[in-house]
Each structure stands twice: as C-alpha cells, then as structure tokens.
Amino acid sequence: MANKVTRLRGMYDVTPEEVWIWQRLEQTITGLLHQYGYQEIRFPVLEKTALFHSAIGEVTDVVEKEMFTFETRKGESISMRPEGTASTVRTVLQNGMIFNDPQKLWYLGPMFRYEKPQKGRNRQFTQVGAEVFGFEGPDVDAELLLMTSRMWEALGLKNVRLELNTLGTQTCREAYRNVLIEFFEQHIDVLDDEAKNRLHSNPLRILDSKNPAIKAIIKDAPQIADYLSDEAKSHFQGLLDALDACGLDYVINRNLVRGLDYYSHNVFEWITEDLGAQGTICAGGRYDKLVEMQGGKPTPATGFAMGVDRLVELIKDLNLWQADRLADVYLIRDKAVSAQHGLKLSEVIRKALPNVRLVCNMGEASFKSQFKKADKSGARFAIILGEAEQNEGVVSVKSMVDREFQQQTMAPDALIDFLSKQFER
Ligand code: ATP
Ligand code: MG
C-alpha cells in the first residue's frame, strides 16, 4: 500500500473554506498602504545566509536558532528569509533606489523560522511589512502608526493596544548598556543560560525575557529613559505629540526592546489580549543605522512587520467576518438540453456582466440536485434552461431567496438587462 506523505510540522494549508479571509485581509491592508503612498516591492525567498547574519545580528533568536539554512550543490550557504527588512535593504541598495529619493515600500509574503510550533507560531508564516527610507521622523513614524491603526479599524479589530518605547541613539544606548550589565551582574544567580549568554553581547534583550524570575528583577532595573540624550528625548516626544494631536492612544512600556541590534529611537508593538500568549500582531521601529551597516550611505529608516497568520486567527476566533457567496447566479440545465447550449449562454452573460458571478452546472443531474447546488452556492437567482425554453429561444429565471418573486421567462437579451439591474453597483 502506498504511504501518504503529510505536510511538514509547523506548516499549514489554506483551503477555500478559509482562503477568502486571507484574501480580504490582504486586500484591506495593501489597499491602505496604497492609500498612504506606499509601493510594493518583491524579493526572493532565498538569500545568502550572510545577509541575515549581518543585518539581523548574530545574538538574536532568529539567527542563533531559527533559520532554515542549507548548502547549495556548490557549497554556498543560503537561507530561507526569516523576515523582510534585511532583504528590503539589500533590494533598495542593489537597485540604487535610495540614492536620492526617499522611499515608502511594502512587501507581503511567506517567511520561514524553525520555531516550536504553537497557536500563532508557525514555521512558515506570512508577514506584511512596511519600510520607509530617507525620512528622519518622527512625523513619518507617527503616520506609520496612524496607518496601522486604520488597518485595525478596517479589519474590525477592537482590543489592540499600542506599546511604545525609545531606545535612543547609539550613544545613549552605550551608556545604558553598561549600567544594565552592572545591574544584571548583581543578579547573576537569577539569570538563566540564555540571559547569561546575552549579558555582554546583547543585554537589552534580557529585558524582553519571558522567565518569571527575571521579569521580577527587571522591575528594578535601570531604565533607558534616564540615559536619553536631548536629541533622543525630543525625537520621542515629537512622536508622542503627533499621536496625541491625531488622537491615537498608546502606552509607554520602558521594557519594550526589539531583538535586533540596529534599532534606534522609537520601537513599538501592537498587542491584543484576544490571542493568548502570541499576542503581538505587529512590531517595528526605527533602524537608522542599518543601511549604512549594509554598505549604503547613511539613510534614516523606519518600518514594521505584521503577522498575517495571527490576524487570520483573530478574525476566525472572534467570528468577525461573514463568508461571501460563491455565486450570484446559477445556471441549471435539463438533461434534454445540450451542454454546449448552457456553456454558450453562460459565456454571453459573463461577457456582458463582468461583475456578476455565474456558475454553470457541469455534467448531468436531476433538477432537484441542481437546485440544491444552486442553493448552496448562495446564488440569488437560478437561470433554468429546460427543453421548452430551448425550443422557444428563452430562459426562465427563478429567485432563490424571494418567495414572492414569480418565475419569469425571457429572451437572453432581456435576461442580461434584468440581471444588470439586479446586480447594479
Ligand atoms: P515573537 O516575540 O512572538 O517571537 P518576534 O519578535 O520574533 O515575535 P518579529 O520578528 O518582530 O517577531 O515579527 C513581526 C511579527 O510577525 C510578530 O509580531 C508576529 O505577529 C509575526 N510572527 C513572527 N514570528 C512568527 C511565527 N513564527 N509565526 C507566526 N507569526 C509570526
Ligand atoms: Mg520570535
């Protein structure tokens, strides 16, 4: 007996039953990106491993343990992209896109991380990202957050909170880093292996620990707020003032850090309580140093990445959306009438009415079973092609939803007229 091959752990299929949620979600989000003047870019799923090592940083969850990395036949190390910022920066540099012009860009697509699969955490997952180059902010950061909040509104999400912090400039962070290391050295017995590993390489990352014992001491840890330069303070205040002026609520979380070394100034997360542990649905911040680190001329940059899988989970869990009908009109054909006749009529209608979704019954079946299928399709009207209709060159129209509607017989031209009025936009 043949063995059934199943899919890989942490991967998933999307069946038609759910794919409409993905489509509507992606359309809503990318529609808003366009409204705000963002343009799409696409880049490969595979990149040289070195790109992620240099852009994301060696001491990060992603690079340390989550990448799908392998060798080509020629022995070159390549990786499935775990996120989009590194590739975006490579793309804009390689294509000379930010030499003179600022850019507002977005991407959408699958990312790959070798993680422990659980709800809201998959090994292939989809992100929508926005990346902006050439604006120092904070106005563009504020606009990015306002746009994101418009996205939640358009999707119908309510319980989402915006958490903000600033990591200051590299100089402020240097000073803060040192006192933070000193502080954690005094509590070395509480640190777990991961935290100890990061103590000297990436101490800010310990602030993000999920370990309860570490969380308890973090409450007394020195705060970045006390080490900010005037420039850093005014950049952050500028962002808060712009959000206040536009009426967008936020919470300042002084322990919010992003895992990657290149972040500076403001960082943020949008978090929902409706998803359990995996509640962050969008995260980002400013990364003014990254372009330079990747060999470009110094270019301020900011952006976010949004977890589309988690948004789909939310919409399903909260039952936020109703599925659309499959068809507007269903064509039913008597066995005595040729299939060609049904196909030809369907084509005439589809060509005349591009916005009307018409399903033509395929194969031979009783009227009863065809009506059942018409009902299931959600069609508002059934078009009936019987023997009598064929002989007279007409069709019958029956409402699938309105009992008062009298079945009518009409010529194809009149049918097109009738349907165009019914489905007027
Ligand atoms: P986490 O702390 O949850 O691991 P992260 O900091 O690794 O998140 P980012 O790299 O900032 O996540 O990615 C941005 C967003 O992409 C996350 O907020 C989340 O919504 C989504 N995301 C990240 N990893 C996964 C995954 N494995 N499965 C599904 N969505 C993910
Ligand atoms: Mg992660």
Side-chain angles (χ1 to χ4, degrees), residues 145 162-166 236 239-240 243 250-254 256 266-269:
L145 291 169
L162 173 60
E163 293 195 354
L164 290 176
N165 193 17
T166 176
F236 192 54
L239 174 65
L240 303 184
L243 297 180
Y250 54 82
V251 184
I252 295 174
N253 173 359
R254 290 296 178 189
L256 178 69
N266 63 283
V267 289
F268 63 86
E269 289 191 6

Side-chain angles (χ1 to χ4, degrees), residues 5 43 184 189:
V5 179
F43 40 80
F184 283 126
D189 45 318

Side-chain angles (χ1 to χ4, degrees), residues 66 113 115 121:
E66 293 174 357
R113 295 185 194 177
E115 303 204 58
R121 198 176 285 291

Side-chain angles (χ1 to χ4, degrees), residues 144-163:
L144 205 65
L145 291 169
L146 291 164
M147 173 174 71
T148 322
S149 116
R150 289 275 307 279
M151 290 172 179
W152 310 145
E153 199 181 301
L155 297 175
L157 299 181
K158 294 215 172 68
N159 290 325
V160 217
R161 117 182 140 255
L162 173 60
E163 293 195 354

Side-chain angles (χ1 to χ4, degrees), residues 103-115:
Q103 295 280 351
K104 290 161 88 180
L105 305 168
W106 65 268
Y107 58 81
L108 182 155
M111 305 296 162
F112 303 84
R113 295 185 194 177
Y114 198 82
E115 303 204 58

